[in-house]
PDB file of all heavy atoms in Angstrom:
ATOM      1  N   TYR A  11      22.572  -7.874   6.964  1.00  0.00           N
ATOM      2  CA  TYR A  11      21.323  -8.483   6.503  1.00  0.00           C
ATOM      3  C   TYR A  11      21.219  -9.838   7.193  1.00  0.00           C
ATOM      4  O   TYR A  11      21.943 -10.756   6.845  1.00  0.00           O
ATOM      5  CB  TYR A  11      21.343  -8.649   4.988  1.00  0.00           C
ATOM      6  CG  TYR A  11      21.376  -7.325   4.257  1.00  0.00           C
ATOM      7  CD1 TYR A  11      22.589  -6.747   3.876  1.00  0.00           C
ATOM      8  CD2 TYR A  11      20.200  -6.644   3.979  1.00  0.00           C
ATOM      9  CE1 TYR A  11      22.620  -5.528   3.222  1.00  0.00           C
ATOM     10  CE2 TYR A  11      20.221  -5.420   3.318  1.00  0.00           C
ATOM     11  CZ  TYR A  11      21.432  -4.874   2.951  1.00  0.00           C
ATOM     12  OH  TYR A  11      21.458  -3.672   2.294  1.00  0.00           O
ATOM     13  N   ALA A  16      27.219  -6.253   6.420  1.00  0.00           N
ATOM     14  CA  ALA A  16      27.447  -5.498   5.194  1.00  0.00           C
ATOM     15  C   ALA A  16      28.328  -4.279   5.464  1.00  0.00           C
ATOM     16  O   ALA A  16      29.144  -3.908   4.640  1.00  0.00           O
ATOM     17  CB  ALA A  16      26.124  -5.077   4.570  1.00  0.00           C
ATOM     18  N   ALA A  35      33.119  -0.030  -5.325  1.00  0.00           N
ATOM     19  CA  ALA A  35      32.693  -1.023  -6.303  1.00  0.00           C
ATOM     20  C   ALA A  35      31.303  -1.557  -5.962  1.00  0.00           C
ATOM     21  O   ALA A  35      30.772  -1.304  -4.874  1.00  0.00           O
ATOM     22  CB  ALA A  35      33.697  -2.169  -6.339  1.00  0.00           C
ATOM     23  N   ASN A  36      30.743  -2.276  -6.888  1.00  0.00           N
ATOM     24  CA  ASN A  36      29.469  -2.948  -6.688  1.00  0.00           C
ATOM     25  C   ASN A  36      29.566  -3.863  -5.459  1.00  0.00           C
ATOM     26  O   ASN A  36      30.511  -4.616  -5.323  1.00  0.00           O
ATOM     27  CB  ASN A  36      29.181  -3.785  -7.943  1.00  0.00           C
ATOM     28  CG  ASN A  36      27.715  -4.119  -8.049  1.00  0.00           C
ATOM     29  OD1 ASN A  36      26.926  -3.678  -7.228  1.00  0.00           O
ATOM     30  ND2 ASN A  36      27.362  -4.894  -9.050  1.00  0.00           N
ATOM     31  N   GLY A  37      28.589  -3.751  -4.554  1.00  0.00           N
ATOM     32  CA  GLY A  37      28.587  -4.623  -3.379  1.00  0.00           C
ATOM     33  C   GLY A  37      29.410  -4.109  -2.209  1.00  0.00           C
ATOM     34  O   GLY A  37      29.530  -4.781  -1.187  1.00  0.00           O
ATOM     35  N   ALA A  38      29.963  -2.902  -2.330  1.00  0.00           N
ATOM     36  CA  ALA A  38      30.813  -2.370  -1.259  1.00  0.00           C
ATOM     37  C   ALA A  38      30.007  -1.988  -0.017  1.00  0.00           C
ATOM     38  O   ALA A  38      30.526  -1.981   1.104  1.00  0.00           O
ATOM     39  CB  ALA A  38      31.587  -1.156  -1.761  1.00  0.00           C
ATOM     40  N   GLY A  39      28.732  -1.653  -0.224  1.00  0.00           N
ATOM     41  CA  GLY A  39      27.894  -1.268   0.915  1.00  0.00           C
ATOM     42  C   GLY A  39      27.382   0.166   0.827  1.00  0.00           C
ATOM     43  O   GLY A  39      26.888   0.724   1.806  1.00  0.00           O
ATOM     44  N   LYS A  40      27.453   0.746  -0.365  1.00  0.00           N
ATOM     45  CA  LYS A  40      27.015   2.136  -0.531  1.00  0.00           C
ATOM     46  C   LYS A  40      25.509   2.269  -0.308  1.00  0.00           C
ATOM     47  O   LYS A  40      25.050   3.121   0.455  1.00  0.00           O
ATOM     48  CB  LYS A  40      27.365   2.630  -1.950  1.00  0.00           C
ATOM     49  CG  LYS A  40      28.833   2.458  -2.313  1.00  0.00           C
ATOM     50  CD  LYS A  40      29.165   2.996  -3.696  1.00  0.00           C
ATOM     51  CE  LYS A  40      28.485   2.275  -4.852  1.00  0.00           C
ATOM     52  NZ  LYS A  40      28.860   0.863  -4.990  1.00  0.00           N
ATOM     53  N   THR A  41      24.745   1.393  -0.968  1.00  0.00           N
ATOM     54  CA  THR A  41      23.287   1.448  -0.818  1.00  0.00           C
ATOM     55  C   THR A  41      22.889   1.163   0.631  1.00  0.00           C
ATOM     56  O   THR A  41      22.003   1.829   1.188  1.00  0.00           O
ATOM     57  CB  THR A  41      22.631   0.433  -1.772  1.00  0.00           C
ATOM     58  OG1 THR A  41      22.929   0.816  -3.114  1.00  0.00           O
ATOM     59  CG2 THR A  41      21.127   0.382  -1.591  1.00  0.00           C
ATOM     60  N   THR A  42      23.567   0.189   1.226  1.00  0.00           N
ATOM     61  CA  THR A  42      23.271  -0.143   2.627  1.00  0.00           C
ATOM     62  C   THR A  42      23.469   1.087   3.520  1.00  0.00           C
ATOM     63  O   THR A  42      22.646   1.349   4.414  1.00  0.00           O
ATOM     64  CB  THR A  42      24.207  -1.288   3.082  1.00  0.00           C
ATOM     65  OG1 THR A  42      24.047  -2.381   2.175  1.00  0.00           O
ATOM     66  CG2 THR A  42      23.880  -1.732   4.484  1.00  0.00           C
TER      67      THR A  42
HETATM   68  N1  ADP C   1      18.639  -7.511   0.735  1.00  0.00           N
HETATM   69  C1  ADP C   1      19.861  -8.032   0.950  1.00  0.00           C
HETATM   70  N2  ADP C   1      19.972  -9.230   1.574  1.00  0.00           N
HETATM   71  C2  ADP C   1      21.201  -9.772   1.803  1.00  0.00           C
HETATM   72  N3  ADP C   1      22.351  -9.184   1.463  1.00  0.00           N
HETATM   73  C3  ADP C   1      22.299  -7.999   0.836  1.00  0.00           C
HETATM   74  C4  ADP C   1      21.049  -7.366   0.546  1.00  0.00           C
HETATM   75  N4  ADP C   1      21.302  -6.185  -0.070  1.00  0.00           N
HETATM   76  C5  ADP C   1      22.648  -6.110  -0.151  1.00  0.00           C
HETATM   77  N5  ADP C   1      23.245  -7.180   0.381  1.00  0.00           N
HETATM   78  C6  ADP C   1      24.693  -7.423   0.477  1.00  0.00           C
HETATM   79  O1  ADP C   1      25.274  -6.374   1.209  1.00  0.00           O
HETATM   80  C7  ADP C   1      26.486  -5.961   0.621  1.00  0.00           C
HETATM   81  C8  ADP C   1      26.434  -4.480   0.280  1.00  0.00           C
HETATM   82  O2  ADP C   1      25.459  -4.261  -0.713  1.00  0.00           O
HETATM   83  P1  ADP C   1      25.032  -2.814  -1.218  1.00  0.00           P
HETATM   84  O3  ADP C   1      24.918  -1.910  -0.066  1.00  0.00           O
HETATM   85  O4  ADP C   1      23.842  -2.968  -2.085  1.00  0.00           O
HETATM   86  O5  ADP C   1      26.306  -2.427  -2.097  1.00  0.00           O
HETATM   87  P2  ADP C   1      26.468  -1.286  -3.181  1.00  0.00           P
HETATM   88  O6  ADP C   1      25.318  -0.372  -3.125  1.00  0.00           O
HETATM   89  O7  ADP C   1      27.767  -0.639  -2.808  1.00  0.00           O
HETATM   90  O8  ADP C   1      26.567  -1.966  -4.500  1.00  0.00           O
HETATM   91  C9  ADP C   1      26.707  -6.858  -0.588  1.00  0.00           C
HETATM   92  O9  ADP C   1      27.559  -7.899  -0.220  1.00  0.00           O
HETATM   93  C10 ADP C   1      25.343  -7.371  -0.893  1.00  0.00           C
HETATM   94  O10 ADP C   1      25.407  -8.653  -1.468  1.00  0.00           O
END
Side-chain angles (χ1 to χ4, degrees):
Chain A
Y11 295 93
N36 200 3
K40 306 182 296 297
T41 297
T42 305

